[in-house]
Amino acid sequence: MFQSVGIKLWEAPYLTRERQIDAAEILQLAEQLGPELGIPTDQCMQGLAALQRNALEKLQSKEEFKNMGVATVKIRAPTQTGSNREFDLKVKITELGSHLCELISQRLSLDPRKLKLVSSGKIISGLRSLQEQNVTNGSTLMVLVMAHSEEEAKRECSTFDRVHKIRTDAKMLINENDSSNFMSIEDQSGNAIFLPKEEKQSLLMGLTLYEKGKAAMTVGNFEEALLLLLEADHDFRSCNSQLLDVVDNYALLNLDIVWCYLCLKNLHQLPDAEQRLKMCELKFQQSYGKNMQRVTEIRGQQSNEKIPLVRLHLLKAILYFYQNKRDDARTMFRVVETELLKLRIDDDCLSRLMECGYSMKECRIALRACTNDVEASIEFIHNRRQTRETNEKRSERERKLYKTINHDASSGDFQRIKLELVDQLMEMGYPEELAGLALKRSLNDINGALNELAVNSEGLRSELLRTVSVNEELQKKLEALGFDPQIALIALKLTANDYDRASNYLFTNVQNGIYSEALQRAIVELNSKQSTSGCNSAEEHTLPTSNNSGEKPSTSKRTARSSNSTDEAKKQKNIQKKEMLDILFKSFSQDIRKTDEDSHLDLQLDEEAKLLQQYKQLLDMD
């Protein structure tokens, strides 16, 4: 209103040359505007005085920032009790983030180590300057602090320590993942996803922190959840894979961050919320297709992917409300109301389906996908289970094959081996590991693979001596049959730990203690490979070259004992490390197991319905 009529309260005549407030001019303006606004003159004058003070404070802060680099930032400190504390602070933007934490902690009388600052959706680092982190004059920062009750204070005191420990534990597990195989990346249907090593680590860290954040949201701990989700967002942003453009994980992450903003009543993050919702909508379109076209083509007209869209539309409507776009808000709230009606689950159908022995989650997902048709829902559940089981078995088989033939999925020139081609070669009588090696060398050319198997089968078997890690239990079973330990080892390597094939191989190639030429070549080949790789294990020194003569191995007993002792120490160390990691993983994943890959499709939508009614009342839509 003031802009349209050219009223500037921070200039003359409402301010004297000495920069003092001209009360007479303010009174005259109040007498003029009061009747127009329908309010008493004294109240209008108080409002004008407040607006003038606010304008003068902004001008002063701009001058301080321009001349001295001192920024005035707005601080908002929400608590678990629901109250909000807001105040302004002045700080040089060249100062570190830790200095601003100190100033805020003094104002709030709290331990600075227990404060986290969030600006524009990013956590402020204490080790970098405010200027580097785009904190400028007028910026609004959200502060996550302790609540006042003793119980909540104890819980919040540990929040930030927990977040730090979660990242540290996740980093340890991910770094050891290639050898320990604690975590793997699969799509929603259970298909394995292979990525370059660095990108895989970033994506695993992002997904892991996201799962921990979702677990915190499930129990209503939105402060810890927000910290974990923002940490996950940082890792997702460092992942360069185009995979993020076609899967919905990053979209769901942004959606959950905005949901946490809403639950924490943090309206100052509206600009970041708006950007995240735009990002979310774009990613959903890339994943699901415009108007759900891609999902409809794959799964039919009804789909549970509509569930997160309800929350997206609800958050957009609430955003419009606080941006004072009331007409847009009403339109979007009507869209949400229609979507909620379509996704409503019939209680009788739910009871009937659960009586068949299915879980609550399975029943809700199926009934929404099949519009409350119980018979169709039963078929839906069975098909879904079967598809996932098939894909999981296929993924496990694929990972095992890659490990057997040393097909490095993290290398830059990695090409996925087509399992259907492996199956074709196996139908022709070739072992799976040899078929996989041949297709690896021929780059999935089945004719090239057949040629490789025909003319270079010995070379492929020789490759297995290098790549296959022997199962110790199977090796002991072969030793119990009377075979030399090292000969048993060779047999298991050549047959990729297939006990029946390994035993048949030994019975064929060991006759009356005499080794066949093929087995002797394998012994020489393995010795050669170990020697080339600089292996100093006892296995290298004691492998027999033939069992025809009575000669003993040339290595001394002392060397063998020393080597055996070293190997045993390494083995015990690895066992202890594995046990420690097992304990860490069980502890780390305990709350994650309460969530799963379908959690975003199984929202009960009760909270969404409550919020819809609340804002409809505010907009007089009833």
Side-chain angles (χ1 to χ4, degrees):
M1 176 181 176
F2 288 169
Q3 291 181 353
S4 62
V5 296
I7 296 175
K8 299 181 179 179
L9 296 175
W10 58 92
E11 294 181 355
Y14 310 107
L15 211 63
T16 65
R17 292 182 178 179
E18 292 78 23
R19 308 292 292 174
Q20 298 296 318
I21 298 173
D22 193 324
E25 291 290 340
I26 295 292
L27 177 60
Q28 184 177 348
L29 181 61
E31 291 173 345
Q32 175 187 341
L33 295 177
E36 295 181 15
L37 299 173
I39 58 176
T41 301
D42 58 338
Q43 291 184 12
C44 184
M45 186 170 180
Q46 291 175 7
L48 290 171
L51 290 172
Q52 188 181 50
R53 284 195 302 273
N54 186 49
L56 291 174
E57 287 173 359
K58 285 186 177 180
L59 280 175
Q60 183 181 355
S61 68
K62 286 182 180 179
E63 290 176 2
E64 289 178 347
F65 183 67
K66 181 179 179 180
N67 298 329
M68 297 179 290
V70 176
T72 301
V73 294
K74 296 184 180 297
I75 307 299
R76 184 175 186 271
T79 68
Q80 290 284 349
T81 58
S83 61
N84 297 321
R85 288 168 285 183
E86 299 184 13
F87 53 89
D88 291 346
L89 270 183
K90 296 184 182 294
V91 61
K92 285 191 174 183
I93 59 172
T94 53
E95 295 285 358
L96 298 177
S98 57
H99 178 70
L100 181 57
C101 262
E102 288 283 351
L103 295 178
I104 294 172
S105 68
Q106 293 172 11
R107 183 70 175 266
L108 300 176
S109 300
L110 294 171
D111 185 346
R113 294 172 300 177
K114 304 304 179 184
L115 300 182
K116 277 284 187 183
L117 309 184
V118 179
S119 175
S120 300
K122 296 181 181 178
I123 297 175
I124 297 298
S125 169
L127 304 177
R128 297 169 58 203
S129 71
L130 298 174
Q131 188 174 22
E132 289 179 288
Q133 302 178 77
N134 298 321
V135 176
T136 185
N137 188 57
S139 293
T140 299
L141 286 88
M142 177 183 179
V143 186
L144 302 180
V145 297
M146 293 187 300
H148 291 297
S149 71
E150 182 178 356
E151 181 180 348
E152 290 175 336
K154 287 180 180 178
R155 177 165 56 82
E156 286 197 35
C157 272
S158 63
T159 295
F160 308 109
D161 293 334
R162 273 178 45 78
V163 172
H164 176 72
K165 186 177 186 304
I166 286 170
R167 173 170 277 280
T168 302
D169 291 349
K171 187 175 181 180
M172 181 182 298
L173 290 170
I174 289 169
N175 288 341
E176 296 291 338
N177 190 58
D178 289 336
S179 58
S180 303
N181 197 28
F182 285 108
M183 306 174 186
S184 59
I185 305 177
E186 298 177 348
D187 66 14
Q188 189 175 334
S189 298
N191 295 305
I193 295 173
F194 299 97
L195 295 171
K197 185 173 182 178
E198 291 184 2
E199 193 168 356
K200 178 183 176 182
Q201 289 183 338
S202 295
L203 189 57
L204 268 176
M205 179 65 80
L207 290 171
T208 302
L209 293 174
Y210 184 23
E211 289 300 317
K212 297 293 282 189
K214 287 196 294 184
M217 288 178 67
T218 302
V219 297
N221 190 353
F222 292 104
E223 285 194 355
E224 180 173 314
L226 180 58
L227 290 179
L228 288 165
L229 297 180
L230 291 173
E231 291 280 348
D233 179 60
H234 172 76
D235 289 288
F236 271 116
R237 288 175 186 267
S238 65
C239 182
N240 297 319
S241 176
Q242 295 181 350
L243 178 69
L244 293 182
D245 292 334
V246 294
V247 297
D248 56 8
N249 298 82
Y250 191 52
L252 294 169
L253 171 67
N254 282 282
L255 193 64
D256 285 339
I257 288 174
V258 179
W259 186 259
C260 285
Y261 286 157
L262 177 64
C263 293
L264 291 171
K265 302 177 182 179
N266 186 11
L267 299 182
H268 287 290
Q269 294 295 340
L270 283 178
D272 184 58
E274 183 177 18
Q275 293 303 313
R276 290 189 182 278
L277 290 180
K278 286 180 179 178
M279 171 75 74
C280 182
E281 196 162 23
L282 175 63
K283 295 294 183 185
F284 277 153
Q285 285 187 8
Q286 291 172 341
S287 300
Y288 303 155
K290 193 171 183 180
N291 298 323
M292 305 288 289
Q293 290 175 352
R294 185 176 298 131
V295 175
T296 302
E297 291 172 2
I298 297 173
R299 304 188 184 179
Q301 184 63 34
Q302 290 297 324
S303 172
N304 284 285
E305 275 72 12
K306 292 181 179 179
I307 301 292
L309 290 179
V310 174
R311 181 169 282 189
L312 170 65
H313 294 155
L314 176 65
L315 290 172
K316 281 183 66 177
I318 294 173
L319 181 67
Y320 287 146
F321 176 84
Y322 286 111
Q323 290 177 333
N324 206 28
K325 300 177 181 178
R326 300 303 167 91
D327 290 338
D328 292 337
R330 290 187 181 93
T331 301
M332 191 56 67
F333 279 126
R334 291 191 187 99
V335 170
V336 173
E337 190 170 28
T338 302
E339 291 174 334
L340 285 174
L341 285 173
K342 289 182 178 179
L343 293 169
R344 188 184 65 83
I345 296 174
D346 185 273
D347 292 337
D348 290 338
C349 294
L350 181 62
S351 299
R352 287 171 58 194
L353 200 55
M354 289 187 67
E355 287 174 359
C356 297
Y358 303 116
S359 69
M360 173 75 79
K361 183 195 72 171
E362 283 183 313
C363 294
R364 280 199 294 255
I365 290 176
L367 288 170
R368 280 174 175 155
C370 302
T371 57
N372 291 309
D373 185 325
V374 176
E375 287 73 20
S377 296
I378 292 174
E379 184 178 358
F380 176 90
I381 292 173
H382 280 285
N383 290 340
R384 203 162 182 265
R385 284 181 175 182
Q386 187 175 8
T387 299
R388 180 150 195 90
E389 183 180 357
T390 300
N391 290 336
E392 286 178 348
K393 287 181 178 178
R394 177 185 176 89
S395 296
E396 181 61 29
R397 177 191 173 194
E398 193 172 12
R399 291 193 190 94
K400 184 178 179 182
L401 176 61
Y402 288 178
K403 184 177 181 181
T404 298
I405 65 176
N406 194 29
H407 192 34
D408 187 4
S410 64
S411 64
D413 58 350
F414 169 77
Q415 183 173 346
R416 199 164 189 162
I417 295 174
K418 296 180 179 179
L419 291 185
E420 56 269 23
L421 297 181
V422 175
D423 291 336
Q424 288 184 35
L425 292 174
M426 290 178 66
E427 288 174 2
M428 299 178 192
Y430 296 106
E432 183 179 47
E433 63 277 5
L434 292 183
L437 266 178
L439 287 167
K440 173 186 174 182
R441 291 189 176 186
S442 66
L443 302 178
N444 284 318
D445 180 352
I446 192 166
N447 292 323
L450 282 168
N451 183 65
E452 187 78 19
L453 288 164
V455 302
N456 191 30
S457 60
E458 285 298 322
L460 294 175
R461 293 184 184 278
S462 175
E463 184 73 10
L464 293 176
L465 293 174
R466 181 180 64 85
T467 62
V468 175
S469 297
V470 169
N471 184 306
E472 294 183 2
E473 291 184 4
L474 296 180
Q475 184 177 356
K476 289 178 181 178
K477 287 178 68 175
L478 290 176
E479 290 174 19
L481 297 177
F483 294 108
D484 183 272
Q486 285 71 35
I487 301 304
L489 178 140
I490 288 176
L492 289 169
K493 278 181 172 289
L494 292 175
T495 58
N497 288 309
D498 186 322
Y499 177 78
D500 292 334
R501 286 167 50 209
S503 57
N504 288 335
Y505 175 87
L506 290 174
F507 289 131
T508 302
N509 290 275
V510 180
Q511 299 290 336
N512 299 320
I514 300 174
Y515 303 153
S516 69
E517 292 184 6
L519 179 53
Q520 290 189 51
R521 284 197 301 270
I523 294 170
V524 173
E525 184 69 25
L526 185 58
N527 275 324
S528 175
K529 290 183 180 297
Q530 291 176 332
S531 178
T532 302
S533 62
C535 179
N536 293 317
S537 66
E539 178 183 295
E540 173 188 352
H541 295 295
T542 59
L543 275 174
T545 57
S546 173
N547 209 29
N548 295 337
S549 68
E551 295 180 4
K552 296 181 180 180
S554 59
T555 308
S556 68
K557 292 182 179 179
R558 180 181 300 174
T559 305
R561 284 196 300 268
S562 175
S563 181
N564 284 332
S565 176
T566 304
D567 284 349
E568 187 63 28
K570 288 181 179 180
K571 184 177 178 180
Q572 287 299 321
K573 185 177 180 181
N574 288 335
I575 291 173
Q576 292 173 1
K577 184 177 181 180
K578 182 66 166 60
E579 289 176 350
M580 183 271 290
L581 290 171
D582 282 335
I583 294 171
L584 176 60
F585 180 72
K586 288 177 182 177
S587 172
F588 182 83
S589 61
Q590 187 172 8
D591 53 355
I592 291 181
R593 291 171 185 168
K594 298 175 184 177
T595 66
D596 57 36
E597 69 281 353
D598 293 330
S599 59
H600 66 287
L601 304 179
D602 186 38
L603 298 177
Q604 296 187 32
L605 300 178
D606 293 340
E607 289 297 321
E608 285 78 0
K610 289 179 182 177
L611 286 168
L612 173 64
Q613 293 305 316
Q614 176 185 336
Y615 282 93
K616 280 180 63 179
Q617 290 177 3
L618 292 174
L619 290 168
D620 297 324
M621 291 178 63
D622 291 332

